[in-house]
Amino acid sequence: MGKEVRVRYAPSPTGHLHIGNARTALFNYLYAKHFNGKFIIRTEDTDEKRNVAGGEESQLKFLKWLGLEWDEGADIGGDYGPYRQTERLDLYNKYVNELLERNLAYKCYMSEEELEAEREEQREKGQVPKYSGAHRNLTEEQIAAFEAEGRKPSIRVRVPENKTYMFQDIVRGEITFESSDFGDWVIVKKNGIPTYNFAVAIDDHLMEITHVLRGEEHISNTPKQMMVYEAFGWEAPKYGHMTLILNEERKKLSKRDEHILQFIEQYRNLGYLPEAMFNFISLLGWSPVGEEEIFSQEKLIEIFDPERLSTSAAIFDQQKLKWMNNEYIKAADIETVIDLAMPHLIESGKLPEDMDADKRTWAENVISLYREQLRYGAEIVELTELFFNDEISYDDEAMEVLKGEQVPEVLQVFTDKLIHLDEFNKDTIKAQFKATQKETGHRGKKLFMPIRIATTGQMHGPELPFAIELLGKSVIIARLDKVLKQLGA
């Protein structure tokens, strides 16, 4: 690949890090690292009305949480700064003035009302609305008259006539546009701020960006940016436009879609692991060779191949994300799992914030019971319900098991064995299962299922002897006695 690869992720500080934006950042990061290039963060903050306080910090915070590190950016500097567009306005003005001097751009004094009236007339004629060029060739007298009225001009680029714009998209192959599809478009708004397509093209050139990976909604922006490159005689970067992310109903993932959590922060708060999120997002619109789906960041960098970016829309499969996060939880050390789950038990009121050593050890043991089942941290609250409820209820399916003719005998013998235990731990409890089996002659489901249901209220669950130990002798004996009374034993 000739010159050094330089790619950028350019967030607007208008809110939290969205799944779609995180994917754009992640694919650029993988591209840069795979080709030993540079990954740059550039903040596009010129739309001041939409910017929110702390928006930039939030974006960067959650990119770092995901495991992304960048080589240049507003927070760490670099040789191509400034890295915020609002700090680059003088740079843009230089190039705007050059286009005006070369008559490749001009001032347009049309008001928004006049522009809307023009668009409405075009719609009524069945035409696609675009700027007519009404102010393309104003005389000095006309300009003076508009200035005297106090009108503020925007600046428009002169779109070349009868020109085809073609580029080889990294994802989609050859894409073409005709210049006739575009009216002369605004490069500087009436407030003096450059528009997105103009500023981006200037920034990408000055920062020596070689490849631009972004969402497919930017395809129609590409010819406009190519026009800027052409006007200055610059070489455009290579563009790649990733497909949409769809929800499970095959509809575009929208920030208003309430069926899927939209922001990385929400997943962090729910107790997803950043490594799992990185892995999952990397497969939204890209596929590796083979069937394997669990990859470390280092492995993803090694195997990332832009040729395998998908031309089909990516489906955000929530169940797959939960499965993948569970795989990472099972592989994590127990301290990580405890740190992931404990805050949710505290927040739900199940545990106090200030625990003594015994209580904390007990809570850690409860969490460790569910390590194999836990799909995300917050799920621990529901999974461990049986440890925090004084009363448990038995559903119809459970009651059907408890009606088995052997159940009173099994529960009575098991209760008697536990009552006489001096050491109440999982090993001694496990021994009482064997003793009960020997005394009653019942084994397998006929033995274990009634005991599990009577002690936990659940048909399925974690390792039973350890669960019984953590529930405590008095709680277990009380639950067994209650069931035996209900059965008339």
Side-chain angles (χ1 to χ4, degrees), residues 222-426:
T222 306
K224 291 183 177 181
Q225 292 164 25
M226 292 174 72
M227 289 176 201
V228 177
Y229 271 82
E230 182 183 71
F232 293 109
W234 300 336
E235 180 185 352
K238 289 182 169 59
Y239 294 98
H241 292 90
M242 298 169 288
T243 56
L244 294 172
I245 301 175
L246 306 181
N247 64 21
E248 287 149 320
E249 296 174 349
R250 303 301 193 269
K251 293 179 181 176
K252 182 181 176 183
L253 197 61
S254 152
K255 291 178 182 177
R256 294 181 297 277
D257 185 348
E258 295 180 0
H259 295 97
I260 291 179
L261 297 176
Q262 298 290 308
F263 301 100
I264 299 300
E265 183 175 2
Q266 292 172 302
Y267 290 96
R268 193 280 308 267
N269 292 345
L270 276 173
Y272 282 81
L273 287 166
E275 300 86 352
M277 292 300 299
F278 189 105
N279 191 160
F280 176 77
I281 293 170
S282 74
L283 301 178
L284 290 175
W286 176 81
S287 59
V289 175
E291 300 298 317
E292 180 61 49
E293 293 187 294
I294 303 292
F295 300 102
S296 67
Q297 182 182 133
E298 293 74 21
K299 188 64 178 178
L300 284 165
I301 289 170
E302 178 191 329
I303 66 176
F304 184 76
D305 179 359
E307 295 288 324
R308 297 189 65 81
L309 285 166
S310 176
T311 56
S312 302
I315 307 299
F316 193 99
D317 185 338
Q318 298 179 82
Q319 295 308 312
K320 181 177 178 179
L321 173 56
K322 290 175 183 176
W323 164 79
M324 186 171 284
N325 200 58
N326 173 247
E327 292 294 307
Y328 275 85
I329 286 174
K330 287 189 290 189
D333 58 70
I334 191 60
E335 288 77 16
T336 297
V337 180
I338 289 166
D339 289 344
L340 207 62
M342 188 78 79
H344 297 282
L345 290 173
I346 294 170
E347 186 182 344
S348 67
K350 304 290 187 187
L351 292 171
E353 277 198 53
D354 298 320
M355 284 177 270
D356 61 30
D358 287 345
K359 186 72 170 178
R360 177 165 290 276
T361 299
W362 178 84
E364 290 175 352
N365 283 330
V366 168
I367 291 168
S368 69
L369 263 182
Y370 292 92
R371 181 183 188 169
E372 294 295 310
Q373 294 170 257
L374 192 65
R375 298 178 299 174
Y376 54 94
E379 197 175 36
I380 198 69
V381 176
E382 181 182 347
L383 287 174
T384 59
E385 197 71 32
L386 70 99
F387 289 95
F388 300 99
N389 284 347
D390 292 331
E391 296 291 325
I392 55 174
S393 56
Y394 305 98
D395 61 23
D396 292 343
E397 190 178 6
M399 287 306 300
E400 199 60 39
V401 172
L402 293 177
K403 288 177 183 175
E405 62 177 355
Q406 88 290 2
V407 171
E409 182 187 10
V410 166
L411 296 186
Q412 188 64 67
V413 171
F414 186 66
T415 302
D416 292 342
K417 301 289 184 191
L418 294 187
I419 287 171
H420 295 99
L421 274 183
D422 293 325
E423 292 288 327
F424 196 80
N425 59 57
K426 62 181 180 181

Side-chain angles (χ1 to χ4, degrees), residues 41-97:
I41 299 286
R42 185 176 71 223
T43 306
E44 296 182 348
D45 59 347
T46 55
D47 192 349
E48 293 179 338
K49 289 181 181 176
R50 295 182 61 230
N51 293 347
V52 299
E56 180 181 0
E57 293 80 0
S58 176
Q59 291 263 342
L60 299 184
K61 174 182 176 181
F62 286 100
L63 287 174
K64 286 179 180 174
W65 179 80
L66 275 174
L68 276 64
E69 297 289 340
W70 41 96
D71 301 289
E72 302 167 30
D75 59 332
I76 59 173
D79 295 335
Y80 295 81
Y83 292 92
R84 294 188 187 95
Q85 286 188 332
T86 51
E87 297 171 7
R88 299 172 65 82
L89 297 180
D90 289 344
L91 280 169
Y92 306 135
N93 288 337
K94 169 190 166 186
Y95 291 101
V96 170
N97 290 334

Side-chain angles (χ1 to χ4, degrees), residues 448-464:
F448 288 100
M449 192 62 80
I451 295 173
R452 178 178 289 281
I453 290 171
T455 55
T456 70
Q458 299 175 348
M459 300 279 289
H460 310 282
E463 181 194 346
L464 190 52

